[in-house]
């Protein structure tokens, strides 16, 4: 059942800063532009708005990111950009047909150009107990705090690496929660090494310092060069065991274990580009660890290896929100030029300025991304019996048994063990499975990655087919003997 079909000039998938930049640029060039997102409003992960229907308690403030988001939402509303929010895109085919599922059923668009601005996926390196209730991702905690105004727990341990750590700890405190401890895989020396890059965005660096100071003055202990060893207990009563890790490689050093009582553990080990759509389209990808992992091969304006396909923002390499917006604008302008839209002189000037600004802001973003890079020893330290693919309950031992039995790349491991075949389609476990396989086959390029498959997001088959009678199903004629 196809309820709605349309052929916009430009479809932008994802309404974070990159998608908003692309849509505004496309519309400014006169393209019939549609922006699609599964969220109820634009903003993406960083500029996420309060969920519609919720009201802020009096005196509460969502902070500067939400205010930037409000400005971007106003720009979208004031410009000729059609918006289709609350739509999960579950398939994109080679002819750039885009299929989505919304509250009112399926929708299909056939744009002449597609900008993919789908952002990032959070990486969590498994440890014993990571699937217990009460353990959630750092990034997921930001969604709870920003969109739902819900604390991840009454007393939460915040663990992992990168600047999201201190941002989440600060926001939990600001929302009235307690933080039992901040457990940082990095050490002070790693933060110092990132300083030259961070200094390129002094405003951001100062904001981070302010958060760190607020967390310290709240009496929250911060353990540098520590990681989660194990979590035990049940919902509401967790025991979080932490251990020291070696500086560069990130594995547990066997030092003194420390335990914290908490009812929530928020943990994240970095971000990796969300490349499900470009994988599904069989675009060319390259492996760039400093950019977060596999990224689609693109030129400076986001043109991918398939005509009229563009990638912008963190989905093209982790760099942060400001570069994402600039990159999105460049991709929108590139799409307009490639579709033969005459380019006003002012836009030509803007394109050159955008490229210069992007170059500078990406450098700061990559310094942050480097802090969130996967540490080699971290994956090597996962205990054999720990579940790696939580959708299909596949352990590290199952994956390595498949490799020992002859699986040479990710898709063989997937076929033999079912890891990556569940509802998340390998978004959660893919990076870790790749590292485990890579250790035996000579590196990440050799290990490859899970082949992209529809549906990109879990959808109900009933919603897709709509009401039907079994008698309407065509029965093929029996074949001649
Ligand atoms: C959960 C999360 C929280 C984060 N929180 C912060 C933070 O607090 N502070 C910070 O500085 N950085 C944060 N980051 C990093 C930040 O997201 C990026 O630097 C920045 O937002 C990149 O912008 P973008 O437009 O490339 O992608 P995003 O902002 O991630 O936007 C991508 C958009 O694509 C949509 N999308 C993806 N796939 C589909 C699909 N199949 N169908 C429909 N819609 C789809 C998503 O709903 C999302 O709105 C966070 C990242 C994550 C993953």
């Amino acid at each position: 059942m196809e309820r709605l079909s349309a052929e916009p000039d430009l479809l932008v998938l994802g309404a974070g800063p990159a998608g908003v930049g692309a849509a505004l640029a496309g519309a400014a060039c006169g393209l019939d532009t549609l922006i699609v997102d599964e969220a109820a409003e634009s903003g993406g992960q960083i500029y996420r708005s309060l969920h519609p229907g919720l009201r802020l308690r009096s005196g509460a403030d969502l902070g500067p990111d939400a205010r930037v988001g409000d400005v971007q939402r106003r720009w979208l509303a004031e410009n000729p950009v059609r918006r289709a929010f609350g739509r999960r895109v579950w398939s994109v085919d080679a002819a750039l047909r885009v299929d989505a599922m919304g509250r009112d059923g399926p929708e299909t668009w056939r744009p002449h150009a597609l900008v993919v601005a789908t952002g990032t996926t959070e990486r969590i390196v498994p440890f014993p107990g990571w699937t217990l209730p009460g353990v959630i991702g750092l990034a997921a905690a930001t969604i709870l705090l920003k969109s739902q105004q819900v604390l991840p727990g009454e007393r939460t341990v915040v663990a992992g690496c990168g600047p999201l750590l201190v941002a989440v700890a600060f926001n939990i405190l600001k929302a009235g929660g307690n933080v039992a401890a901040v457990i940082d895989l990095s050490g002070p020396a790693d933060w110092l090494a990132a300083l030259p890059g961070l200094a390129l965005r002094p405003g951001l660096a100062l904001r981070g310092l302010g958060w760190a100071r607020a967390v310290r003055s709240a009496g929250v202990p911060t353990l540098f060069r520590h990681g989660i060893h194990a979590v035990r207990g049940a919902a509401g009563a967790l025991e979080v065991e932490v251990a020291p890790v070696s500086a560069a490689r990130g594995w547990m050093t066997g030092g003194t274990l420390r335990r914290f009582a908490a009812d929530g553990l928020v943990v994240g080990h970095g971000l990796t580009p969300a490349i499900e759509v470009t994988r599904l389209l069989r675009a060319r990808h390259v492996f760039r660890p400093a950019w977060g992992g596999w990224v689609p091969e693109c030129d400076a304006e986001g043109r991918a290896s398939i005509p009229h396909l563009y990638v912008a923002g963190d989905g093209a390499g982790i760099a942060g929100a400001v570069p994402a917006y600039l990159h999105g604008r460049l991709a929108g302008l590139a799409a307009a030029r490639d579709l033969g839209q005459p380019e006003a002189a002012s836009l030509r000037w803007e394109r050159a300025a955008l490229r210069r600004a992007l170059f500078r802001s990406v450098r700061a973003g990559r310094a942050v991304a480097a802090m969130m890079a996967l540490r080699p020893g971290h994956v090597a330290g996962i205990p054999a019996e720990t579940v790696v693919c939580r959708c299909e309950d596949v352990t590290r031992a199952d994956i390595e048994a498949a490799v020992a039995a002859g699986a040479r790349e990710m898709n063989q491991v997937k076929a033999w063990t079912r890891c990556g075949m569940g509802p998340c389609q390998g978004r959660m476990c893919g990076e870790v499975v790749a590292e485990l396989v890579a250790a035996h086959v000579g590196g990440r390029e050799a290990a490859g990655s899970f082949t992209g498959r529809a549906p990109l997001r879990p959808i109900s088959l009933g919603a897709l087919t709509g009401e039907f009678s079994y008698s309407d199903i065509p029965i093929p004629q029996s074949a001649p003997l």
Side-chain angles (χ1 to χ4, degrees):
M1 181 188 77
E2 221 167 79
R3 235 182 22 82
L4 187 145
S5 159
E7 296 193 6
D9 295 324
L10 175 65
L11 188 148
V12 178
L13 170 50
V20 170
L24 290 172
C29 294
L31 296 182
D32 170 22
T33 302
L34 173 74
I35 185 164
V36 181
D37 201 295
E38 61 189 333
E41 252 305 346
S42 70
Q45 305 301 1
I46 182 161
Y47 303 142
R48 188 175 287 278
S49 62
L50 193 63
H51 196 270
L54 293 182
R55 279 217 333 260
L56 272 185
R57 64 194 143 76
S58 80
D61 166 31
L62 283 180
D65 289 341
R67 287 193 285 278
V68 178
D70 287 342
V71 171
Q72 293 197 349
R73 284 183 274 280
R74 204 181 62 236
W75 287 345
L76 273 188
E78 288 170 356
N79 280 277
V81 177
R82 291 193 285 140
R83 287 165 287 166
F85 294 149
R87 270 56 161 216
R88 257 173 188 200
V89 169
W90 62 271
S91 171
V92 182
D93 76 6
L96 301 188
R97 169 189 158 133
V98 177
D99 283 289
M101 181 62 70
R103 234 195 345 253
D104 300 328
E107 285 174 72
T108 298
W109 300 281
R110 293 181 178 80
H112 300 295
L114 172 67
V115 175
V116 177
T118 47
T120 61
T121 307
E122 183 165 42
R123 180 197 295 129
I124 300 179
V125 177
F127 47 83
W130 76 293
T131 54
L132 284 173
V135 183
I136 65 168
L138 264 183
T142 69
I143 298 179
L144 274 184
L145 287 159
K146 288 182 188 179
S147 174
Q148 319 284 336
Q149 293 279 287
V150 168
L151 287 167
E154 302 260 319
R155 184 176 158 81
T156 308
V157 173
V158 180
C161 55
L164 264 183
L165 260 187
V166 69
V168 169
F170 171 80
N171 282 306
I172 290 175
L173 294 171
K174 187 174 153 210
N178 295 306
V179 178
V182 174
I183 312 297
D184 191 345
L185 280 180
S186 311
D190 303 307
W191 285 98
L192 278 179
L195 268 187
L198 292 174
L200 295 167
R201 298 278 318 279
L204 210 59
L206 283 176
R207 184 145 68 118
L209 273 176
W211 290 336
R213 210 173 295 130
V215 171
R216 212 183 37 233
S217 15
V220 176
T222 296
L223 273 65
F224 290 112
R225 294 221 177 112
H226 276 69
I228 304 293
H229 186 251
V231 183
R232 300 183 195 88
L238 299 176
E239 182 188 67
V240 182
E241 192 170 73
V242 307
V245 297
S246 80
R249 300 188 64 78
W251 52 45
M252 304 278 161
T253 56
T256 314
L257 296 177
R258 289 183 60 176
R259 295 183 184 86
F260 294 90
D263 62 349
L265 167 63
V266 175
V267 57
H269 301 118
L271 302 171
T272 181
I275 54 168
E276 309 90 86
V277 175
T278 47
R279 279 271 181 232
L280 185 62
L281 289 170
R282 311 289 181 258
R284 275 198 304 273
H285 290 75
V286 281
F287 185 62
R288 296 216 161 109
W291 297 25
W294 286 101
V295 290
E297 199 178 279
C298 290
D299 73 6
E301 296 178 1
R303 287 180 190 84
S305 58
I306 292 174
H308 300 301
L309 174 69
Y310 308 79
V311 188
D314 275 5
I318 308 296
V322 171
Y325 179 77
L326 303 172
H327 200 207
R329 277 201 77 85
L330 273 170
L333 295 178
R337 271 199 310 149
D338 298 348
L339 288 176
Q341 209 66 4
E343 192 177 48
S346 61
L347 292 177
R348 252 196 318 276
W349 176 87
E350 183 188 344
R351 194 148 47 82
L354 280 170
R355 286 183 67 150
R356 283 194 300 273
L358 180 63
F359 180 74
R360 275 195 310 273
S361 62
V362 159
R363 274 182 61 203
R366 298 272 191 260
V368 174
M371 298 201 69
M372 299 190 287
L374 195 56
R375 287 136 168 98
H378 200 177
V379 171
I382 300 172
E385 67 285 1
T386 302
V387 165
V388 171
C389 166
R390 61 190 298 164
C391 298
E392 296 288 333
D393 267 346
V394 183
T395 63
R396 173 181 181 166
D398 297 329
I399 292 161
E400 290 188 327
V403 175
R408 303 320 290 159
E409 55 88 39
M410 300 264 295
N411 292 296
Q412 286 172 341
V413 173
K414 178 176 175 178
W416 294 5
T417 64
R418 293 194 58 82
C419 82
M421 277 195 199
C424 93
Q425 289 282 287
R427 279 199 300 277
M428 284 226 85
C429 66
E431 274 272 291
V432 172
V433 177
E435 284 291 318
L436 289 171
V437 177
H440 297 275
V441 301
R444 284 290 297 269
E445 274 97 343
S449 58
F450 290 140
T451 303
R453 300 263 181 239
L456 297 164
R457 291 282 192 271
I459 46 162
S460 129
L461 274 181
L464 201 58
T465 56
E467 294 285 323
F468 70 92
S469 152
Y470 277 95
S471 59
D472 294 337
I473 299 176
I475 310 284
Q477 295 292 312
S478 44
L481 289 174

